[in-house]
Amino acid sequence: MRWWRRLTIAAAAALLAGGAAPGPGLAQQAIQLRFMSWYFGEDPAGPTLKALFAEFEKRNPTIKVVAETVTSAERVPKFTAAMEAGRGPDLYMDTPPNAPNLIARGYCLDLESRMKADDLLARFTKGDLDSFTDAKGDHYFVPYSTGPMGLIYNAKAFQDAGLDPNKPPKTWEELLEYAKKLTRDGKYGIGLFGKGDNSSVWRLWYWWMSNGAEVLTADGKKSAINSPAFIEAIDFWADLYRKHKVAPPSVPANSFGENNQLLAQGVVAMVESGVWQFGVTEKINPAIKGQLRAAPMPKRKVDVAVGGGTDALCITA
C-alpha cells in the first residue's frame, strides 16, 4: 500500500509543481493524501492550491487531497512532532533554512531519480533547486513558488499624512522622508523585520544589493560583508529604527506575523513584502481592503528585484 501512496503522491506533487495532470484512473483504490502547509490560511495562496486540488481530484476521483493548515511559525514544530509520532502528512511544504535539518532527520524522500525522470530539474533555477538538497546534492523538495519583494503601503495613511498615494518613494532618501511624515500619533512610517529569522534575512538582501554590495568577494573565497557598501546599507536600514525612530520600538522582536498585525491595525504604513501581503492583511482586518498598494522597492544605486524565498514540497518518508 505504501508504494501505491508514494506513486500517487508523486503525481500530485508533479501537478502542483506545474506538470501535466495525470489522467483518469491513476489510483485504483480510494486514497487520501494529507498536505500540511501554512498556505491554506492565506489568500490568494490557499484558494489557488485548493483549485489545483479540485482539478487533480476531478481527473482522479478516487483520490482526496486533505489540506492541513498550520501557521508559518508553528509549521516546523507541528510537522516534526507528527513525523516523530508516526502521523506525519504525505506532503509537506517548507523553505530553504529548514530543509537541511528535515532531510537529515529522514523525514523526506529522496526525489532525485523521480525528478530526473519527469524532467523537473530543467524547469527550475539552479539556486531554487540547490536550496533543498542533501550533502550529496540529491534533491528532496520540488520548488512550488517564489515571489519578488516590493513596497506594500497604505494609501489612506499616505493621504492622511499629506502624501500622494500615486507617488510612492523611489529612492532611499524619499523613503526616509515619507517615513518621517507618516510617523506621528503612535503610528510609524515603516515596519522592519528584525527578529533574525528567515523572513528577516530575505528582506535584508534587498538593502545591500540595492547599494551595490556583495556578500562574497569576486573570487568567492572571502566574505565581503565588511565592505563600505554593505555596512552603509545595513546602517541605513538599522537607523530607520535606532536613529530616525520611524519604525516601531518592537522591531527587534518583529517578523512576518508581527508586521502583519501592525500593518493591518494601521500602526505602520509601509512594509517590504510580496503579493501575499494583501490577503494576509485583509484577513486580519477586512476594513483595510482597498487601501493597500504595491510599488517597487526604492532604489539606492542598483535596481534589484529580490525573491521572497522559495517554498517547496517534499514527499514524506
Side-chain angles (χ1 to χ4, degrees):
M1 179 64 177
R2 185 63 178 173
W3 70 269
W4 189 256
R5 287 181 66 82
R6 288 181 176 176
L7 174 61
T8 306
I9 295 165
L15 170 64
L16 294 171
L26 171 67
Q28 302 302 316
Q29 50 190 306
I31 193 168
Q32 185 180 87
L33 301 182
R34 295 165 49 224
F35 183 174
M36 180 182 287
S37 175
W38 68 97
Y39 271 39
F40 303 125
E42 298 182 0
D43 186 10
T48 300
L49 269 175
K50 289 175 182 178
L52 284 173
F53 295 168
E55 177 185 346
F56 183 81
E57 291 168 356
K58 183 178 180 181
R59 291 171 178 255
N60 301 277
T62 58
I63 305 172
K64 175 68 176 177
V65 184
V66 178
E68 296 190 358
T69 305
V70 291
T71 67
S72 179
E74 71 186 12
R75 68 181 187 270
V76 174
K78 286 200 169 184
F79 175 64
T80 301
M83 292 299 292
E84 290 296 324
R87 299 192 300 270
D90 300 298
L91 287 164
Y92 174 71
M93 180 181 289
D94 217 315
T95 55
N98 298 323
N101 182 51
L102 301 179
I103 293 170
R105 284 174 172 261
Y107 293 159
C108 302
L109 288 181
D110 187 336
L111 302 179
E112 187 72 14
S113 60
R114 179 75 195 194
M115 291 178 72
K116 286 180 177 178
D118 290 345
D119 200 29
L120 288 178
L121 296 179
R123 303 186 61 169
F124 303 100
T125 64
K126 187 176 185 300
D128 285 336
L129 288 167
D130 290 352
S131 297
F132 299 95
T133 61
D134 63 7
K136 298 183 299 180
D138 284 354
H139 298 86
Y140 284 73
F141 284 73
V142 180
Y144 174 70
S145 72
T146 189
M149 307 294 280
L151 185 70
I152 309 299
Y153 65 97
N154 187 319
K156 184 178 184 302
F158 271 44
Q159 289 177 324
D160 292 344
L163 298 168
D164 187 346
N166 296 315
K167 296 180 179 179
K170 294 184 178 181
T171 66
W172 285 14
E173 290 74 21
E174 286 185 357
L175 178 70
L176 177 57
E177 177 189 347
Y178 279 42
K180 286 181 176 179
K181 291 182 178 180
L182 289 160
T183 301
R184 56 181 186 159
D185 302 327
K187 298 182 179 180
Y188 297 87
I190 189 167
L192 300 178
F193 293 66
K195 198 170 188 176
D197 58 4
N198 56 353
S199 288
S200 305
V201 173
W202 292 335
R203 286 164 174 81
L204 279 177
W205 291 351
Y206 151 74
W207 296 93
W208 54 261
M209 291 178 70
S210 184
N211 206 39
E214 298 286 349
V215 172
L216 298 174
T217 55
D219 59 10
K221 295 182 178 180
K222 295 181 180 180
S223 170
I225 64 173
N226 61 344
S227 68
F230 199 103
I231 293 172
E232 181 184 47
I234 301 305
D235 275 345
F236 182 92
W237 173 85
D239 280 346
L240 292 172
Y241 159 69
R242 64 189 182 189
K243 178 181 178 181
H244 302 296
K245 313 294 184 185
V246 295
S250 56
V251 163
N254 289 353
S255 187
F256 185 59
E258 292 79 10
N259 278 296
N260 290 343
Q261 293 290 335
L262 293 172
L263 184 65
Q265 295 163 7
V267 178
V268 300
M270 300 182 287
V271 294
E272 179 190 353
S273 196
V275 65
W276 54 84
Q277 191 66 61
F278 290 85
V280 171
T281 309
E282 291 166 6
K283 185 174 183 179
I284 297 171
N285 178 16
I288 206 170
K289 187 176 180 65
Q291 296 181 23
L292 299 183
R293 297 187 185 181
M297 288 297 292
K299 176 183 176 180
R300 182 64 159 191
K301 298 176 182 177
V302 182
D303 283 316
V304 294
V306 176
T310 299
D311 302 324
L313 306 171
C314 83
I315 299 173
T316 58

